Amino acid sequence: MDLARSPADEAFRAEARAWLRAHVPSEPLPSLETEEGFAAHRAWEAELAADRWSVVHWPTAYGGRDAGLPRWLVFEEEYYAAGAPGRVGQNGVNLLAPTLFDHGTEEQRARVLPPMACGEVVWAQAWSEPEAGSDLASLTSRAVRTAGGWLLTGQKTWSSRAAFADRAFGLFRSEPGTARPHQGLTYLMFDLRAPGVTVRPIGRLDGRPAFAELFLDDVFVPDEDVIGAPGQGWRVAMSTAGNERGLTLRSPGRFLAAADRLLGLWQERGSPASARDAVADALIGARAYELFTHAAASRFLQGTPIGPEASLNKVFWSEYDIALHETALDLLGEEGEAADTGWSEGYVFSLAGPIYAGTNEIQRDIIAERLLGLPKGRR
Ligand SMILES: Cc1cc2nc3c(=O)[nH]c(=O)nc-3n(C[C@H](O)[C@H](O)[C@H](O)COP(=O)(O)OP(=O)(O)OC[C@H]3O[C@@H](n4cnc5c(N)ncnc54)[C@H](O)[C@@H]3O)c2cc1C
């Protein structure tokens, strides 16, 4: 991909910047991990969508601008530089939507994507189970055939924002007793308010209630909500995971903006030499990540699906995020904990980065085995 931006790209950037300047709320919205904040962020999604800024890379038929991945990257740079709110619709937009583009039917795309684009339907990811996190294929929640669809039973856990979300997507065992655990799984979408669903918030250190576990007891799902073929869920899930780790979950714009903010903080604090190398590392890291992501987008646009390289991105951004926040907290000293600068909250969240979207230990295994061709480790 040519990294030089064309005049048309720059015009797109200017349009996005002007829109964001006019619309980004002057005060931060309440946390989207609370009921009030969730609603406020949902309204923000609707505002973005009204002018077609919520999913710029999607086809226009579903609420996008057909702008393509390179301009999505431009938009994200502007979005984060403008300090715009976190995206409550991110599970749907970054994980489910690419999965539907790869494996969904036209009917599913037409039905699911437009309400997702405007925040009317917010999605949760229901993958992890109490005994199936890293080893996701060992999941035991079941999908049992019934007239016109499936009945789901089991428990899902660690579901981000599920306490306030509308629908969820996940994997279920539809053929027990297969030779390998990856076989006989089915990928389904379901309603979090359907009869048989109990959503229970999981306590967080900060007391915010959006993180949840889900209990499913014969929850009916119609056939139209199966993505891909029944029994082929693992293949479908790998498309979700590649997107989660490799491209859309953490755009370089987020880190370019954060590194700029860190540079500003360092300068404001008298440019202490003790932090100079760490600040330089953050700036270089953001640029390196930008180049790597552009290369991934470029390969993707040329028809190469996102493969195990996604694990490199995942390890990089999660470790980068922690280092960047640690540097900011060092610069702030005691003030970092006392004042509401955003750095301390960001630091706490960054600590979860090496865990969610697949732990870094698992990503390193994938890198070792599938990219470097090293022998399989003992499991
Ligand atoms: C903030 C946050 C948000 C999340 N959001 C969601 C969500 O929305 N939806 C969802 O479905 N899940 C979500 N998760 C769950 C997340 O995907 C899991 O926590 C993760 O996959 C790890 O699974 P586990 O917690 O069961 O840990 P385990 O799999 O029990 O792992 C425990 C430790 O053992 C290590 N380990 C396990 N197996 C191996 C191995 N073979 N080799 C080396 N080390 C190994 C792990 O790396 C880890 O350090 C979220 C988690 C967090 C922290």
Side-chain angles (χ1 to χ4, degrees):
M1 184 163 83
D2 184 1
L3 285 185
R5 303 244 159 86
S6 67
D9 291 338
E10 291 309 326
F12 174 83
R13 180 191 293 285
E15 193 189 347
R17 186 176 293 177
W19 190 91
L20 289 162
R21 196 177 298 131
H23 290 81
V24 169
S26 51
E27 291 292 315
L29 300 181
S31 165
L32 54 74
E33 304 292 336
T34 63
E35 189 167 8
E36 177 203 10
F38 199 90
H41 282 78
R42 207 195 268 274
W44 169 245
E45 292 293 326
E47 194 172 336
L48 280 166
D51 289 328
R52 290 184 177 262
W53 290 112
S54 69
V55 284
V56 295
H57 50 310
W58 287 11
T60 46
Y62 309 130
R65 289 180 172 235
D66 224 349
L69 274 180
R71 286 201 189 154
W72 169 72
L73 288 163
V74 169
F75 177 73
E76 290 272 299
E77 280 174 26
E78 292 302 319
Y79 192 85
Y80 284 102
R87 300 293 299 271
V88 74
Q90 61 171 310
N91 279 335
V93 171
N94 295 325
L95 307 182
L96 181 59
T99 310
L100 287 174
F101 285 125
D102 284 352
H103 296 280
T105 62
E106 187 39 50
E107 184 280 324
Q108 287 173 331
R109 289 191 278 266
R111 173 164 53 90
V112 172
L113 297 178
M116 179 194 288
C118 64
E120 186 187 326
V121 175
V122 177
W123 290 82
Q125 182 186 21
W127 282 31
S128 305
E129 296 185 4
E131 301 301 327
S134 296
D135 185 12
L136 182 65
S138 65
L139 62 89
T140 58
S141 288
R142 301 188 309 275
V144 176
R145 203 80 186 91
T146 188
W150 301 81
L151 291 173
L152 308 185
T153 301
Q155 184 186 348
K156 298 285 178 179
T157 192
W158 313 131
S159 192
S160 297
R161 295 170 291 282
F164 308 122
D166 306 292
R167 305 202 75 206
F169 52 94
L171 279 176
F172 292 84
R173 192 159 296 287
S174 51
E175 296 164 28
T178 52
R180 296 184 63 236
H182 304 79
Q183 295 165 344
L185 300 172
T186 296
Y187 200 120
L188 295 123
M189 303 180 273
F190 60 96
D191 204 322
L192 285 169
R193 299 195 189 98
V197 179
T198 306
V199 181
R200 194 182 295 163
I202 298 173
R204 292 190 359 159
L205 281 177
D206 63 12
R208 290 175 180 154
F211 207 34
E213 56 187 341
L214 313 173
F215 297 86
L216 309 172
D217 185 11
D218 277 346
V219 178
F220 177 73
V221 176
D223 282 326
E224 63 186 22
D225 280 343
V226 172
I227 307 177
Q232 298 297 311
W234 189 257
R235 207 168 76 83
V236 182
M238 288 308 98
S239 138
T240 316
N243 278 287
E244 180 171 32
R245 295 167 191 158
L247 201 54
T248 50
L249 188 66
R250 292 284 173 268
S251 70
R254 179 187 177 111
F255 297 121
L256 290 166
D260 269 356
R261 270 203 301 282
L262 182 67
L263 177 64
L265 179 68
W266 180 68
Q267 287 165 338
E268 205 183 286
R269 302 269 142 169
S271 308
S274 57
R276 194 187 53 188
D277 286 359
V279 172
D281 279 350
L283 291 166
I284 294 166
R287 288 285 166 209
Y289 184 64
E290 181 188 25
L291 293 175
F292 195 83
T293 311
H294 279 251
S298 183
R299 283 194 301 274
F300 185 72
L301 289 175
Q302 282 158 22
T304 311
I306 298 171
E309 299 80 19
S311 296
L312 293 169
N313 278 39
K314 160 76 220 289
V315 171
F316 185 87
W317 62 247
S318 55
E319 295 187 347
Y320 173 88
D321 207 21
I322 295 176
L324 178 120
H325 281 88
E326 279 173 351
T327 307
L329 290 187
D330 283 349
L331 281 166
L332 286 163
E334 289 168 7
E335 209 187 303
E337 283 176 46
D340 183 15
T341 58
W343 286 110
S344 154
E345 192 179 342
Y347 172 66
V348 172
F349 185 67
S350 75
L351 296 177
I355 303 173
Y356 66 82
T359 66
N360 284 9
E361 289 84 353
I362 298 298
Q363 305 313 311
R364 286 194 160 90
D365 267 354
I366 295 172
I367 293 165
E369 291 167 16
R370 295 180 54 198
L371 290 178
L372 301 176
L374 297 177
K376 269 190 185 298
R378 266 180 295 151
R379 300 266 155 78

